[in-house]
């Protein structure tokens, strides 16, 4: 991958909302070239989507519960952990699935409206899968930082207005 | 009652920035492009190292010249980054910001009436610092149409029998102009010919975007007549820590240490431990900030040119110095009217020397959102005047 593409990707990763016009100026390319670069990176699936990090606790009636579930799995012949991982990540309430080294195999992040909903997901959908040997559910009590973004960050510019 | 204030201080002109700061600070919700410091906070590992030093009980004085470990790291850093070789034991001193290094360097070398060439536009403190040290600043006005580059013949023209030193800042505050190695070599020939000392302010050296930075002290035969001044404020986003350093010939550093010892004693200990961490493990943070500054520089320069204010692409620092001549306003009028009408603070170019007239200094050490908004407001402002 070219240096300019990496620069463009890190710009978009930090702010997927950036307008083409601004990106073009920042990376010193024309708007047309920039649009073409983005199209190519999307086609190569280097860019998979554009999302925002939302602090839902700030939105009335939208607060939810997040849980991290450690899952021990019996890998299947020929496909290892991939098949069971797919069966898990296809559930819409599942936000992330990672294959882990260490005490357990899969780390599953799930979001729901209530603890009860998470309990139902674990007992009715996750634990009943053939390959799943055990689960341990950890509830998130408070989000401090997510995807590199600090929640409740004091971003105020503390500098004086004019300085030497 | 007569004033007790000394005549020298009474005659010292107040900084033009001060007047503008007073004006801007009375207003609310100002978007500031007037700030000469990074908008990033100090890298966390540096803050952590400073906390840790306090926890460990390092709250006493250090050696006058600074922690020897820090001077050793400064020496390594100067050698690795800029091929400038200095002995940590006697050729490096840790100071309270680069500003104090400038002050004690001038006081260490000037006799009353000695002339110091100040290459302008320049940082507002240079000429007053020369005066405070009993010297006479001689302003050398570089040409805006030559991208404010210092040319050897211009230097030769202002040298007299009283000229002792020249102060150079590259990358420059406020123009962002960077002198290439070849340009420095050409200037150094004049400096050697007239046996001058160089105060080389290299505080923005890390923030050079398009070509590799050359330090004056790395030129053959020049190190012996150079005081290299730098610090942690700009590259490591540590302005409030007030930590700088100077490297130079042993006798000058000893003289500077003597003044430092009788006035400051030593730089703050916890800041020195923070700086130690910055040099040992701060490279990645510097590179990340530099990358961001470069992107913002590109954005700001291109936008200024699009909206009708001609602006050169500066090679370093985090300032642009666009021309405002098209508006027919003086730089003071432009900055004041812009502040009052659009609540955008920029610094009038004339405060950096008379050849800065017709320009404004805009810092792009601000978030992209703020830069974008400020530029839209400047566009609206000049739309009424061009």
């Amino acid at each position: 991958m070219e240096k300019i593409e990496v620069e463009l990707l890190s710009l978009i990763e930090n702010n997927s909302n950036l307008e083409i016009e601004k990106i073009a100026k920042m990376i010193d390319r024309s708007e047309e070239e920039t649009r073409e670069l983005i199209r190519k990176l999307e086609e190569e699936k280097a860019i998979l989507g554009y999302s925002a990090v939302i602090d839902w606790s700030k939105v009335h009636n939208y607060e939810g519960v997040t849980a991290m579930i450690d899952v021990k799995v019996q890998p299947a012949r020929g496909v290892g952990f991939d098949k069971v991982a797919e069966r898990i990540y296809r559930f819409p309430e599942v936000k992330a699935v990672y294959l882990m080294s260490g005490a357990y195999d899969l780390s599953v992040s799930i979001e729901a409206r209530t603890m009860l909903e998470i309990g139902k997901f674990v007992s009715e959908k996750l634990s009943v899968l053939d390959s799943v040997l055990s689960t341990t559910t950890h509830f998130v009590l408070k989000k401090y930082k997510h995807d590199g973004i600090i929640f409740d960050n004091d971003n105020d510019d503390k500098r004086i207005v004019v300085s030497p | 009652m007569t004033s007790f204030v000394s005549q020298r201080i009474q005659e010292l002109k107040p900084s033009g920035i001060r007047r503008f700061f007073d004006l801007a600070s009375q207003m609310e919700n100002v978007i500031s492009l007037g700030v000469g410091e990074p908008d990033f906070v100090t890298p966390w590992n540096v803050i952590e190292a400073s906390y840790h030093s306090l926890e460990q009980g390092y709250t006493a004085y250090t050696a006058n010249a600074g922690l020897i470990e820090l001077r050793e790291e400064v020496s390594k850093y100067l050698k690795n980054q800029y091929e400038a070789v200095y002995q940590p034991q006697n050729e490096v001193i840790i100071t309270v910001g680069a500003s104090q290094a400038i002050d004690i360097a001038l006081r260490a070398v000037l006799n009353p009436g000695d002339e110091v060439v100040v290459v302008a536009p320049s940082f507002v403190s240079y000429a007053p610092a020369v005066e405070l040290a009993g010297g006479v600043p001689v302003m050398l006005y570089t040409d805006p149409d030559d991208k404010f580059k210092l040319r050897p013949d211009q230097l030769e023209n202002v040298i007299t029998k009283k000229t002792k030193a020249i102060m150079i800042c590259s990358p420059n505050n406020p123009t962002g102009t960077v002198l290439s190695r070849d340009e420095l070599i050409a200037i150094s020939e004049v400096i050697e010919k007239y046996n001058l000392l160089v105060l080389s302010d290299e505080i923005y050296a890390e923030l050079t975007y398009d070509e590799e930075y050359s330090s004056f002290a790395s030129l053959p035969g020049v190190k012996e007549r150079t005081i290299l001044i730098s610090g942690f404020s700009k590259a490591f986003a540590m302005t409030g820590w007030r930590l700088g350093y100077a490297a130079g010939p042993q006798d000058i550093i000893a003289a500077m240490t003597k003044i430092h010892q009788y006035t400051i004693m030593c730089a703050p200990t916890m800041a020195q431990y923070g700086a130690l961490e910055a040099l040992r493990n701060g490279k990645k943070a510097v590179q990340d900030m530099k990358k961001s500054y470069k992107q913002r520089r590109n954005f700001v320069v291109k936008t200024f040119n699009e909206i009708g204010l001609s602006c050169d692409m500066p090679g370093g620092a985090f300032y642009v110095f666009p021309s405002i001549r098209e508006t027919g306003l003086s730089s003071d009028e432009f900055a004041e009217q812009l502040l009052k009408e659009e609540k955008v603070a920029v610094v009038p170019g004339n405060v950096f020397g008379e050849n800065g007239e017709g320009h404004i200094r805009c810092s792009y050490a601000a978030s992209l959102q703020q830069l974008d908004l400020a530029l839209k407001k400047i566009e609206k402002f000049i739309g009424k005047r061009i």
Side-chain angles (χ1 to χ4, degrees):
Chain A
M1 193 169 282
E2 284 180 38
K3 202 172 154 197
I4 193 76
E5 293 174 333
V6 176
E7 189 176 356
L8 192 150
L9 288 174
S10 58
L11 266 176
I12 293 175
E13 190 183 29
N14 288 327
N15 182 4
S16 63
N17 201 25
L18 263 183
E19 296 98 324
I20 296 267
E21 179 203 348
K22 288 202 188 91
I23 299 173
K25 282 180 182 171
M26 290 167 86
I27 64 170
D28 199 17
R29 290 284 195 279
S30 71
E31 284 183 40
E32 200 38 58
E33 285 171 309
T34 308
R35 205 168 276 119
E36 182 53 31
L37 273 173
I38 291 176
R39 193 197 56 75
K40 177 174 169 272
L41 290 164
E42 285 171 345
E43 212 169 85
E44 289 170 356
K45 297 205 169 184
I47 299 173
L48 294 168
Y50 301 87
S51 67
V53 177
I54 312 285
D55 183 356
W56 286 106
S57 71
K58 296 272 166 65
V59 185
H60 184 58
N61 277 340
Y62 272 89
E63 312 93 289
V65 186
T66 302
M68 315 284 291
I69 309 167
D70 309 341
V71 187
K72 279 191 185 169
V73 167
Q74 178 67 57
R77 191 185 182 99
V79 288
F81 296 97
D82 296 352
K83 213 66 203 165
V84 66
E86 185 182 355
R87 288 189 66 181
I88 296 170
Y89 68 62
R90 291 284 180 196
F91 288 114
E93 54 271 62
V94 171
K95 295 299 170 191
V97 177
Y98 308 106
L99 179 63
M100 308 294 288
S101 67
Y104 57 96
D105 305 304
L106 295 176
S107 174
V108 177
S109 171
I110 166 172
E111 284 177 14
R113 295 292 296 274
T114 62
M115 281 173 71
L116 192 67
E117 274 183 29
I118 287 185
K120 280 182 80 171
F121 173 82
V122 174
S123 60
E124 293 174 13
K125 294 177 178 169
L126 189 60
S127 304
V128 294
L129 292 174
D130 284 347
S131 327
V132 170
L133 300 175
S134 72
T135 63
T136 311
T137 304
H138 310 274
F139 286 98
V140 173
L141 301 181
K142 183 173 179 179
K143 282 186 187 168
Y144 293 102
K145 189 175 183 182
H146 181 78
D147 269 359
I149 294 174
I150 297 172
F151 281 43
D152 287 327
N153 197 12
D154 170 14
N155 277 327
D156 292 347
D157 194 341
K158 294 178 178 64
R159 299 173 300 168
I160 50 178
V161 178
V162 176
S163 71
Chain B
M1 201 169 118
T2 53
S3 170
F4 290 107
V5 176
S6 78
Q7 198 177 336
R8 177 183 281 175
I9 301 302
Q10 286 194 39
E11 286 168 5
L12 200 65
K13 279 191 212 148
S15 156
I17 283 194
R18 185 78 230 169
R19 189 188 75 78
F20 199 69
F21 167 73
D22 290 341
L23 194 67
S25 57
Q26 288 162 14
M27 298 175 68
E28 282 182 3
N29 302 321
V30 171
I31 302 176
S32 182
L33 306 186
V35 191
E37 60 181 317
D39 61 320
F40 297 101
V41 291
T42 305
W44 185 253
N45 60 321
V46 175
I47 297 174
E48 188 71 35
S50 188
Y51 280 163
H52 186 65
S53 77
L54 294 174
E55 282 168 355
Q56 295 289 303
Y58 293 122
T59 56
Y61 295 129
T62 67
N64 292 129
L67 286 169
I68 185 64
E69 303 97 296
L70 180 55
R71 282 181 277 149
E72 281 166 356
E73 284 299 332
V74 167
S75 291
K76 271 191 225 165
Y77 171 81
L78 291 176
K79 182 169 179 286
N80 294 340
Q81 291 284 111
Y82 310 120
E83 294 169 14
V85 181
Y86 288 99
Q87 296 307 315
Q89 293 81 7
N90 49 26
E91 292 182 325
V92 177
I93 178 173
I94 307 298
T95 58
V96 180
S99 296
Q100 194 226 346
I102 291 168
D103 176 37
I104 59 175
L106 288 165
R107 285 202 272 164
V109 300
L110 293 185
N111 292 312
D114 281 346
E115 291 180 356
V116 178
V117 177
V118 175
V119 181
S122 69
F123 177 48
V124 290
S125 301
Y126 291 167
V130 172
E131 288 180 48
L132 284 169
V136 178
V138 173
M139 305 307 285
L140 188 162
Y141 295 113
T142 53
D143 186 354
D145 296 329
D146 193 18
K147 299 189 174 184
F148 296 104
K149 293 258 183 179
L150 169 63
R151 300 296 178 198
D153 56 323
Q154 290 177 303
L155 176 58
E156 204 154 7
N157 284 341
V158 297
I159 291 171
T160 71
K161 284 184 178 158
K162 289 183 181 170
T163 309
K164 182 146 192 185
I166 173 170
M167 294 178 75
I168 294 177
C169 180
S170 170
N172 178 276
N173 172 10
T175 62
T177 299
V178 181
L179 294 168
S180 69
R181 189 169 180 84
D182 286 346
E183 286 162 341
L184 288 178
I185 289 172
I187 294 160
S188 73
E189 283 165 7
V190 179
I191 285 165
E192 282 185 82
K193 182 176 165 191
Y194 292 93
N195 192 28
L196 303 183
L197 177 74
V198 184
L199 267 77
S200 180
D201 183 349
E202 306 191 6
I203 189 84
Y204 294 101
E206 282 270 16
L207 307 179
T208 307
Y209 307 113
D210 303 319
E211 50 187 284
E212 207 169 307
Y213 179 75
S214 281
S215 168
F216 231 104
S218 70
L219 304 184
V222 181
K223 189 195 143 193
E224 293 69 26
R225 53 178 71 253
T226 300
I227 307 176
L228 187 162
I229 288 162
S230 192
F232 297 85
S233 293
K234 312 296 179 178
F236 296 96
M238 290 173 69
T239 49
W241 295 64
R242 307 312 304 126
L243 210 66
Y245 54 86
Q250 200 177 322
D251 59 335
I252 296 179
I253 295 297
M256 289 169 69
T257 308
K258 210 189 276 181
I259 304 167
H260 183 73
Q261 163 190 330
Y262 288 134
T263 51
I264 299 287
M265 193 76 79
C266 65
T269 304
M270 59 186 173
Q272 292 192 55
Y273 279 102
L276 198 55
E277 172 67 14
L279 289 179
R280 285 177 179 164
N281 299 306
K283 203 169 182 166
K284 167 81 169 57
V286 174
Q287 291 308 317
D288 288 348
M289 289 189 268
K290 181 173 158 175
K291 196 160 113 187
S292 178
Y293 288 136
K294 184 180 179 182
Q295 289 165 348
R296 296 185 219 173
R297 174 198 68 161
N298 294 346
F299 173 72
V300 168
V301 171
K302 281 167 186 261
T303 310
F304 262 125
N305 284 304
E306 273 174 18
I307 66 178
L309 292 186
S310 151
C311 184
D312 286 329
M313 182 69 81
F318 39 57
Y319 309 108
V320 290
F321 206 57
S323 167
I324 51 146
R325 289 198 187 108
E326 289 280 302
T327 64
L329 298 171
S330 71
S331 60
D332 256 338
E333 289 166 343
F334 186 100
E336 198 166 329
Q337 290 175 25
L338 179 68
L339 181 65
K340 286 178 178 163
E341 280 179 39
E342 299 294 339
K343 292 194 170 183
V344 174
V346 298
V347 182
N350 67 343
V351 307
F352 305 101
E354 62 186 48
N355 57 335
E357 186 49 79
H359 295 261
I360 49 169
R361 188 192 77 173
C362 300
S363 161
Y364 49 85
S367 70
L368 187 67
Q369 290 81 353
Q370 287 220 310
L371 291 171
D372 190 35
L373 188 58
L375 285 160
K376 286 194 168 93
K377 285 169 173 276
I378 293 173
E379 182 177 19
K380 186 174 152 210
F381 175 81
I382 62 169
K384 297 177 197 162
R385 288 163 175 85
I386 296 183

